[in-house]
Amino acid sequence: MRKALGLVLLWGLVAAAAPLVIVNEFGQGRAGFGEWVELLVVGEGPGTFVDLRGWTIQDYQGDSRGGVYIKFKDSEFWAQVPAGTLIVIYNAGDAPNLPAHFPKDDFDPEDFLLVIPGKTGDYLEVLRWEGLANTGDCVYIVDARGDVVFRLSYGQRQCGGVQLGDVDRGQAAWYLGGGLEGILTPGNWKVGPDASGGSTPGAPNSEENAAWMAYLRTPPEK
């Protein structure tokens, strides 16, 4: 895993296969506590599935030294996650500081939404969640082979992928686009309050974003 993160600066969306999962949005909660990350399963197109067993979400220090390191458990629950699914994972230890409009826990994949507390249990294995840094951090999605499939950077951290500006305490960042084509363009992202009228945890971020999800959820033609 450390080898994958060490090579992260060599990765680019053009040079690599299109990511099967992306970060669609993330938030710093209230007053810099209550962080959460929202993933969108893209798969290989409408009606496809992704096996997330053994995948991880990490931040800049996300290995045995600390930081954020969350692993999807080797469970049938994660074996076939359909394209178009939003997965929202939040810092369970800071739950009181989540934004007031944050969705309730949801473990039913039939509605294409999963909202799961970031703690070790039936779904996740959490080495540590010390939170996303306010001044700057990186968020990586790493597959079961140890390959970084998506990454973003913000604030003072520059780790490649899409580079966003400051996402300070009480703020969030969300992707407005309707496909992978513009996901590395900062102008297709927005930074705003992690509150009603700003962030949209568990929901699309724009009309284009919503249309993309609906497209991904379309059953394949027989």
Side-chain angles (χ1 to χ4, degrees):
M1 195 67 66
R2 293 184 183 180
K3 180 180 178 182
L5 291 179
L7 295 174
V8 70
L9 293 178
L10 300 178
W11 182 91
L13 186 60
V14 174
L20 299 179
V21 182
I22 66 163
V23 175
N24 195 53
E25 188 174 14
F26 68 95
Q28 297 281 20
R30 295 188 292 188
F33 301 98
E35 294 98 335
W36 52 274
V37 177
E38 177 190 272
L39 310 181
L40 173 61
V41 179
V42 178
E44 295 181 346
T48 61
F49 299 86
V50 178
D51 183 351
L52 290 178
R53 292 176 294 184
W55 287 45
T56 61
I57 304 171
Q58 304 177 33
D59 74 346
Y60 181 76
Q61 293 180 309
D63 59 21
S64 58
R65 295 174 298 168
V68 174
Y69 188 109
I70 300 171
K71 185 175 184 178
F72 292 89
K73 296 194 80 169
D74 185 5
S75 164
E76 286 301 308
F77 183 83
W78 298 116
Q80 285 193 311
V81 183
T85 298
L86 285 175
I87 304 172
V88 185
I89 300 175
Y90 64 90
N91 189 343
D94 280 341
N97 292 298
L98 290 166
H101 67 308
F102 197 81
K104 297 180 180 179
D105 288 356
D106 187 336
F107 305 102
D108 180 8
E110 295 295 324
D111 60 359
F112 292 95
L113 174 63
L114 297 168
V115 181
I116 299 178
K119 61 182 180 180
T120 298
D122 294 336
Y123 307 97
L124 303 172
E125 187 177 326
V126 180
L127 178 65
R128 187 170 295 185
W129 190 329
E130 293 182 348
L132 300 174
N134 295 328
T135 56
D137 211 335
C138 309
V139 183
Y140 306 95
I141 303 175
V142 185
D143 69 17
R145 297 175 300 180
D147 295 329
V148 179
V149 299
F150 184 82
R151 58 196 167 97
L152 64 79
S153 315
Y154 66 91
Q156 296 177 4
R157 287 287 184 204
Q158 296 185 10
C159 311
V162 59
Q163 180 69 48
L164 306 178
D166 292 339
V167 186
D168 208 336
R169 62 182 63 219
Q171 289 192 308
W174 53 91
Y175 179 51
L176 298 170
L180 294 175
E181 295 80 9
I183 200 165
L184 297 184
T185 303
N188 292 330
W189 290 73
K190 185 172 182 179
V191 175
D194 195 6
S196 181
S199 62
T200 58
N205 304 327
S206 67
E207 291 184 4
E208 293 81 1
N209 205 237
W212 185 26
M213 291 180 201
Y215 169 72
L216 292 173
R217 296 168 184 177
T218 305
E221 294 184 3
K222 297 182 179 180

